[in-house]
Amino acid sequence: MFSECSVQTTEVVKVADVAWASSGFLKQHGTKTPFTTAPEICIEVISPSNSAMEIAEKIALYLAAGAEEVWLCAETGAMSFHTRDGEIRSSRLVKKFPRFINLEV
């Protein structure tokens, strides 16, 4: 698990808020960033300053760079999961990951 994981995309370096990479990915790519290929899961925490266009672009760039899934966490704690096929109901890689995270402390 990485926080602020930089990935070289086809356009620019993008920095995922959080990313998960398998041991196989790390063996192949090491830990030096920006990664030339996106880790398997890239996660963005949505803030009020993020536009829908900006988020759609990030999803597309991470997937094009090799991510298998892009997860979005809304301010409400609602999760959404995205693959090259579009939005999916739940993560295929982490099957029991919840669709809602309680963010109250």
Side-chain angles (χ1 to χ4, degrees):
M1 196 65 101
F2 297 90
S3 62
E4 297 192 0
C5 175
S6 58
V7 177
Q8 179 64 56
T9 70
T10 54
E11 297 192 19
V12 296
V13 172
K14 288 288 183 186
V15 180
D17 293 321
V18 179
W20 177 85
S22 67
S23 58
F25 179 93
L26 294 174
K27 276 185 183 177
Q28 184 176 4
H29 299 282
T31 57
K32 186 174 185 223
T33 62
F35 288 118
T36 56
T37 301
E40 290 92 339
I41 300 173
C42 292
I43 304 165
E44 287 291 328
V45 178
I46 308 297
S47 68
S49 65
N50 293 127
S51 69
M53 180 189 280
E54 177 186 6
I55 294 303
E57 177 186 41
K58 284 183 177 186
I59 292 169
L61 288 171
Y62 291 137
L63 292 171
E68 293 180 40
E69 294 184 358
V70 177
W71 298 3
L72 303 179
C73 180
E75 287 184 289
T76 62
M79 297 294 299
S80 63
F81 307 92
H82 305 264
T83 68
R84 288 174 194 83
D85 297 327
E87 187 171 351
I88 56 176
R89 179 157 174 74
S90 59
S91 172
R92 294 176 184 158
L93 297 176
V94 185
K95 299 199 183 300
K96 293 186 179 187
F97 200 90
R99 291 184 48 86
F100 181 82
I101 298 172
N102 184 352
L103 299 175
E104 293 181 23
V105 178

PDB file of all heavy atoms in Angstrom, residues 59-82:
ATOM      1  N   ILE A  59      -9.324   8.481 -13.914  1.00  0.00           N
ATOM      2  CA  ILE A  59      -9.704   7.077 -14.074  1.00  0.00           C
ATOM      3  C   ILE A  59      -9.141   6.542 -15.391  1.00  0.00           C
ATOM      4  O   ILE A  59      -8.494   5.498 -15.424  1.00  0.00           O
ATOM      5  CB  ILE A  59     -11.244   6.907 -14.032  1.00  0.00           C
ATOM      6  CG1 ILE A  59     -11.779   7.214 -12.630  1.00  0.00           C
ATOM      7  CG2 ILE A  59     -11.639   5.498 -14.471  1.00  0.00           C
ATOM      8  CD1 ILE A  59     -13.295   7.320 -12.559  1.00  0.00           C
ATOM      9  N   ALA A  60      -9.380   7.276 -16.474  1.00  0.00           N
ATOM     10  CA  ALA A  60      -8.924   6.839 -17.805  1.00  0.00           C
ATOM     11  C   ALA A  60      -7.408   6.718 -17.866  1.00  0.00           C
ATOM     12  O   ALA A  60      -6.875   5.743 -18.418  1.00  0.00           O
ATOM     13  CB  ALA A  60      -9.433   7.800 -18.869  1.00  0.00           C
ATOM     14  N   LEU A  61      -6.690   7.685 -17.295  1.00  0.00           N
ATOM     15  CA  LEU A  61      -5.224   7.656 -17.354  1.00  0.00           C
ATOM     16  C   LEU A  61      -4.639   6.511 -16.533  1.00  0.00           C
ATOM     17  O   LEU A  61      -3.718   5.829 -16.985  1.00  0.00           O
ATOM     18  CB  LEU A  61      -4.646   9.000 -16.899  1.00  0.00           C
ATOM     19  CG  LEU A  61      -4.841  10.157 -17.873  1.00  0.00           C
ATOM     20  CD1 LEU A  61      -4.429  11.479 -17.232  1.00  0.00           C
ATOM     21  CD2 LEU A  61      -4.070   9.920 -19.164  1.00  0.00           C
ATOM     22  N   TYR A  62      -5.161   6.274 -15.324  1.00  0.00           N
ATOM     23  CA  TYR A  62      -4.651   5.168 -14.512  1.00  0.00           C
ATOM     24  C   TYR A  62      -4.913   3.827 -15.197  1.00  0.00           C
ATOM     25  O   TYR A  62      -4.051   2.954 -15.220  1.00  0.00           O
ATOM     26  CB  TYR A  62      -5.270   5.156 -13.110  1.00  0.00           C
ATOM     27  CG  TYR A  62      -4.832   6.300 -12.225  1.00  0.00           C
ATOM     28  CD1 TYR A  62      -5.747   6.976 -11.432  1.00  0.00           C
ATOM     29  CD2 TYR A  62      -3.501   6.705 -12.160  1.00  0.00           C
ATOM     30  CE1 TYR A  62      -5.349   8.016 -10.605  1.00  0.00           C
ATOM     31  CE2 TYR A  62      -3.106   7.748 -11.344  1.00  0.00           C
ATOM     32  CZ  TYR A  62      -4.034   8.407 -10.562  1.00  0.00           C
ATOM     33  OH  TYR A  62      -3.647   9.435  -9.749  1.00  0.00           O
ATOM     34  N   LEU A  63      -6.110   3.658 -15.750  1.00  0.00           N
ATOM     35  CA  LEU A  63      -6.429   2.404 -16.430  1.00  0.00           C
ATOM     36  C   LEU A  63      -5.557   2.221 -17.667  1.00  0.00           C
ATOM     37  O   LEU A  63      -5.052   1.122 -17.922  1.00  0.00           O
ATOM     38  CB  LEU A  63      -7.915   2.352 -16.784  1.00  0.00           C
ATOM     39  CG  LEU A  63      -8.869   2.241 -15.583  1.00  0.00           C
ATOM     40  CD1 LEU A  63     -10.311   2.412 -16.043  1.00  0.00           C
ATOM     41  CD2 LEU A  63      -8.681   0.926 -14.840  1.00  0.00           C
ATOM     42  N   ALA A  64      -5.351   3.291 -18.426  1.00  0.00           N
ATOM     43  CA  ALA A  64      -4.494   3.205 -19.615  1.00  0.00           C
ATOM     44  C   ALA A  64      -3.050   2.898 -19.237  1.00  0.00           C
ATOM     45  O   ALA A  64      -2.319   2.271 -20.005  1.00  0.00           O
ATOM     46  CB  ALA A  64      -4.570   4.504 -20.412  1.00  0.00           C
ATOM     47  N   ALA A  65      -2.639   3.315 -18.031  1.00  0.00           N
ATOM     48  CA  ALA A  65      -1.267   3.070 -17.565  1.00  0.00           C
ATOM     49  C   ALA A  65      -1.105   1.677 -16.965  1.00  0.00           C
ATOM     50  O   ALA A  65      -0.015   1.317 -16.533  1.00  0.00           O
ATOM     51  CB  ALA A  65      -0.862   4.126 -16.546  1.00  0.00           C
ATOM     52  N   GLY A  66      -2.180   0.893 -16.909  1.00  0.00           N
ATOM     53  CA  GLY A  66      -2.060  -0.477 -16.451  1.00  0.00           C
ATOM     54  C   GLY A  66      -2.804  -0.846 -15.187  1.00  0.00           C
ATOM     55  O   GLY A  66      -2.796  -2.019 -14.793  1.00  0.00           O
ATOM     56  N   ALA A  67      -3.446   0.112 -14.512  1.00  0.00           N
ATOM     57  CA  ALA A  67      -4.214  -0.233 -13.318  1.00  0.00           C
ATOM     58  C   ALA A  67      -5.339  -1.199 -13.706  1.00  0.00           C
ATOM     59  O   ALA A  67      -5.936  -1.061 -14.776  1.00  0.00           O
ATOM     60  CB  ALA A  67      -4.807   1.017 -12.666  1.00  0.00           C
ATOM     61  N   GLU A  68      -5.599  -2.164 -12.849  1.00  0.00           N
ATOM     62  CA  GLU A  68      -6.714  -3.076 -13.089  1.00  0.00           C
ATOM     63  C   GLU A  68      -8.017  -2.467 -12.586  1.00  0.00           C
ATOM     64  O   GLU A  68      -9.073  -2.713 -13.161  1.00  0.00           O
ATOM     65  CB  GLU A  68      -6.463  -4.413 -12.421  1.00  0.00           C
ATOM     66  CG  GLU A  68      -5.295  -5.164 -13.049  1.00  0.00           C
ATOM     67  CD  GLU A  68      -5.029  -6.491 -12.386  1.00  0.00           C
ATOM     68  OE1 GLU A  68      -5.996  -7.199 -12.030  1.00  0.00           O
ATOM     69  OE2 GLU A  68      -3.848  -6.830 -12.216  1.00  0.00           O
ATOM     70  N   GLU A  69      -7.923  -1.705 -11.493  1.00  0.00           N
ATOM     71  CA  GLU A  69      -9.095  -1.034 -10.935  1.00  0.00           C
ATOM     72  C   GLU A  69      -8.702   0.347 -10.439  1.00  0.00           C
ATOM     73  O   GLU A  69      -7.577   0.552  -9.980  1.00  0.00           O
ATOM     74  CB  GLU A  69      -9.679  -1.823  -9.752  1.00  0.00           C
ATOM     75  CG  GLU A  69     -10.249  -3.165 -10.141  1.00  0.00           C
ATOM     76  CD  GLU A  69     -10.909  -3.906  -8.982  1.00  0.00           C
ATOM     77  OE1 GLU A  69     -10.909  -3.411  -7.829  1.00  0.00           O
ATOM     78  OE2 GLU A  69     -11.424  -5.001  -9.237  1.00  0.00           O
ATOM     79  N   VAL A  70      -9.662   1.266 -10.525  1.00  0.00           N
ATOM     80  CA  VAL A  70      -9.526   2.580  -9.905  1.00  0.00           C
ATOM     81  C   VAL A  70     -10.701   2.709  -8.953  1.00  0.00           C
ATOM     82  O   VAL A  70     -11.853   2.511  -9.340  1.00  0.00           O
ATOM     83  CB  VAL A  70      -9.541   3.721 -10.949  1.00  0.00           C
ATOM     84  CG1 VAL A  70      -9.478   5.075 -10.251  1.00  0.00           C
ATOM     85  CG2 VAL A  70      -8.375   3.567 -11.922  1.00  0.00           C
ATOM     86  N   TRP A  71     -10.391   3.005  -7.698  1.00  0.00           N
ATOM     87  CA  TRP A  71     -11.418   3.177  -6.688  1.00  0.00           C
ATOM     88  C   TRP A  71     -11.548   4.657  -6.373  1.00  0.00           C
ATOM     89  O   TRP A  71     -10.550   5.378  -6.295  1.00  0.00           O
ATOM     90  CB  TRP A  71     -11.046   2.456  -5.398  1.00  0.00           C
ATOM     91  CG  TRP A  71     -10.890   0.975  -5.478  1.00  0.00           C
ATOM     92  CD1 TRP A  71     -10.990   0.162  -6.574  1.00  0.00           C
ATOM     93  CD2 TRP A  71     -10.577   0.116  -4.375  1.00  0.00           C
ATOM     94  NE1 TRP A  71     -10.754  -1.136  -6.219  1.00  0.00           N
ATOM     95  CE2 TRP A  71     -10.506  -1.198  -4.876  1.00  0.00           C
ATOM     96  CE3 TRP A  71     -10.342   0.346  -3.030  1.00  0.00           C
ATOM     97  CZ2 TRP A  71     -10.217  -2.287  -4.061  1.00  0.00           C
ATOM     98  CZ3 TRP A  71     -10.050  -0.731  -2.220  1.00  0.00           C
ATOM     99  CH2 TRP A  71      -9.997  -2.038  -2.731  1.00  0.00           C
ATOM    100  N   LEU A  72     -12.792   5.092  -6.169  1.00  0.00           N
ATOM    101  CA  LEU A  72     -13.053   6.459  -5.739  1.00  0.00           C
ATOM    102  C   LEU A  72     -13.739   6.424  -4.386  1.00  0.00           C
ATOM    103  O   LEU A  72     -14.655   5.619  -4.175  1.00  0.00           O
ATOM    104  CB  LEU A  72     -13.966   7.177  -6.742  1.00  0.00           C
ATOM    105  CG  LEU A  72     -13.486   7.246  -8.188  1.00  0.00           C
ATOM    106  CD1 LEU A  72     -14.530   7.959  -9.044  1.00  0.00           C
ATOM    107  CD2 LEU A  72     -12.147   7.944  -8.286  1.00  0.00           C
ATOM    108  N   CYS A  73     -13.294   7.281  -3.494  1.00  0.00           N
ATOM    109  CA  CYS A  73     -13.923   7.420  -2.181  1.00  0.00           C
ATOM    110  C   CYS A  73     -14.481   8.828  -2.088  1.00  0.00           C
ATOM    111  O   CYS A  73     -13.727   9.805  -2.139  1.00  0.00           O
ATOM    112  CB  CYS A  73     -12.908   7.165  -1.060  1.00  0.00           C
ATOM    113  SG  CYS A  73     -13.626   7.314   0.589  1.00  0.00           S
ATOM    114  N   ALA A  74     -15.804   8.942  -1.983  1.00  0.00           N
ATOM    115  CA  ALA A  74     -16.464  10.244  -1.863  1.00  0.00           C
ATOM    116  C   ALA A  74     -16.353  10.751  -0.432  1.00  0.00           C
ATOM    117  O   ALA A  74     -16.059   9.991   0.494  1.00  0.00           O
ATOM    118  CB  ALA A  74     -17.925  10.116  -2.272  1.00  0.00           C
ATOM    119  N   GLU A  75     -16.602  12.039  -0.260  1.00  0.00           N
ATOM    120  CA  GLU A  75     -16.563  12.633   1.088  1.00  0.00           C
ATOM    121  C   GLU A  75     -17.541  11.956   2.042  1.00  0.00           C
ATOM    122  O   GLU A  75     -17.337  11.964   3.248  1.00  0.00           O
ATOM    123  CB  GLU A  75     -16.903  14.120   1.016  1.00  0.00           C
ATOM    124  CG  GLU A  75     -15.822  14.965   0.425  1.00  0.00           C
ATOM    125  CD  GLU A  75     -16.203  16.425   0.474  1.00  0.00           C
ATOM    126  OE1 GLU A  75     -17.101  16.815  -0.283  1.00  0.00           O
ATOM    127  OE2 GLU A  75     -15.607  17.152   1.291  1.00  0.00           O
ATOM    128  N   THR A  76     -18.593  11.362   1.502  1.00  0.00           N
ATOM    129  CA  THR A  76     -19.596  10.676   2.321  1.00  0.00           C
ATOM    130  C   THR A  76     -19.141   9.300   2.768  1.00  0.00           C
ATOM    131  O   THR A  76     -19.785   8.678   3.599  1.00  0.00           O
ATOM    132  CB  THR A  76     -20.891  10.503   1.511  1.00  0.00           C
ATOM    133  OG1 THR A  76     -20.596   9.683   0.369  1.00  0.00           O
ATOM    134  CG2 THR A  76     -21.471  11.836   1.079  1.00  0.00           C
ATOM    135  N   GLY A  77     -18.048   8.799   2.167  1.00  0.00           N
ATOM    136  CA  GLY A  77     -17.585   7.455   2.449  1.00  0.00           C
ATOM    137  C   GLY A  77     -18.051   6.446   1.411  1.00  0.00           C
ATOM    138  O   GLY A  77     -17.687   5.277   1.468  1.00  0.00           O
ATOM    139  N   ALA A  78     -18.867   6.901   0.447  1.00  0.00           N
ATOM    140  CA  ALA A  78     -19.336   6.006  -0.614  1.00  0.00           C
ATOM    141  C   ALA A  78     -18.170   5.674  -1.543  1.00  0.00           C
ATOM    142  O   ALA A  78     -17.399   6.549  -1.929  1.00  0.00           O
ATOM    143  CB  ALA A  78     -20.459   6.662  -1.404  1.00  0.00           C
ATOM    144  N   MET A  79     -18.054   4.402  -1.873  1.00  0.00           N
ATOM    145  CA  MET A  79     -16.995   3.925  -2.752  1.00  0.00           C
ATOM    146  C   MET A  79     -17.571   3.589  -4.121  1.00  0.00           C
ATOM    147  O   MET A  79     -18.694   3.101  -4.222  1.00  0.00           O
ATOM    148  CB  MET A  79     -16.351   2.657  -2.172  1.00  0.00           C
ATOM    149  CG  MET A  79     -15.660   2.842  -0.844  1.00  0.00           C
ATOM    150  SD  MET A  79     -14.199   3.898  -0.934  1.00  0.00           S
ATOM    151  CE  MET A  79     -13.150   2.985  -2.065  1.00  0.00           C
ATOM    152  N   SER A  80     -16.774   3.838  -5.163  1.00  0.00           N
ATOM    153  CA  SER A  80     -17.118   3.336  -6.491  1.00  0.00           C
ATOM    154  C   SER A  80     -15.870   2.699  -7.075  1.00  0.00           C
ATOM    155  O   SER A  80     -14.747   3.065  -6.728  1.00  0.00           O
ATOM    156  CB  SER A  80     -17.670   4.443  -7.396  1.00  0.00           C
ATOM    157  OG  SER A  80     -16.702   5.448  -7.626  1.00  0.00           O
ATOM    158  N   PHE A  81     -16.089   1.727  -7.945  1.00  0.00           N
ATOM    159  CA  PHE A  81     -15.005   0.906  -8.473  1.00  0.00           C
ATOM    160  C   PHE A  81     -15.081   0.933  -9.998  1.00  0.00           C
ATOM    161  O   PHE A  81     -16.156   0.751 -10.573  1.00  0.00           O
ATOM    162  CB  PHE A  81     -15.141  -0.531  -7.951  1.00  0.00           C
ATOM    163  CG  PHE A  81     -15.266  -0.599  -6.444  1.00  0.00           C
ATOM    164  CD1 PHE A  81     -16.508  -0.600  -5.836  1.00  0.00           C
ATOM    165  CD2 PHE A  81     -14.139  -0.635  -5.646  1.00  0.00           C
ATOM    166  CE1 PHE A  81     -16.634  -0.646  -4.450  1.00  0.00           C
ATOM    167  CE2 PHE A  81     -14.245  -0.681  -4.253  1.00  0.00           C
ATOM    168  CZ  PHE A  81     -15.498  -0.684  -3.655  1.00  0.00           C
ATOM    169  N   HIS A  82     -13.934   1.119 -10.640  1.00  0.00           N
ATOM    170  CA  HIS A  82     -13.904   1.291 -12.095  1.00  0.00           C
ATOM    171  C   HIS A  82     -12.848   0.393 -12.723  1.00  0.00           C
ATOM    172  O   HIS A  82     -11.752   0.248 -12.181  1.00  0.00           O
ATOM    173  CB  HIS A  82     -13.613   2.761 -12.427  1.00  0.00           C
ATOM    174  CG  HIS A  82     -14.584   3.686 -11.770  1.00  0.00           C
ATOM    175  ND1 HIS A  82     -15.687   4.168 -12.410  1.00  0.00           N
ATOM    176  CD2 HIS A  82     -14.638   4.181 -10.506  1.00  0.00           C
ATOM    177  CE1 HIS A  82     -16.375   4.937 -11.576  1.00  0.00           C
ATOM    178  NE2 HIS A  82     -15.749   4.949 -10.405  1.00  0.00           N
TER     179      HIS A  82
END
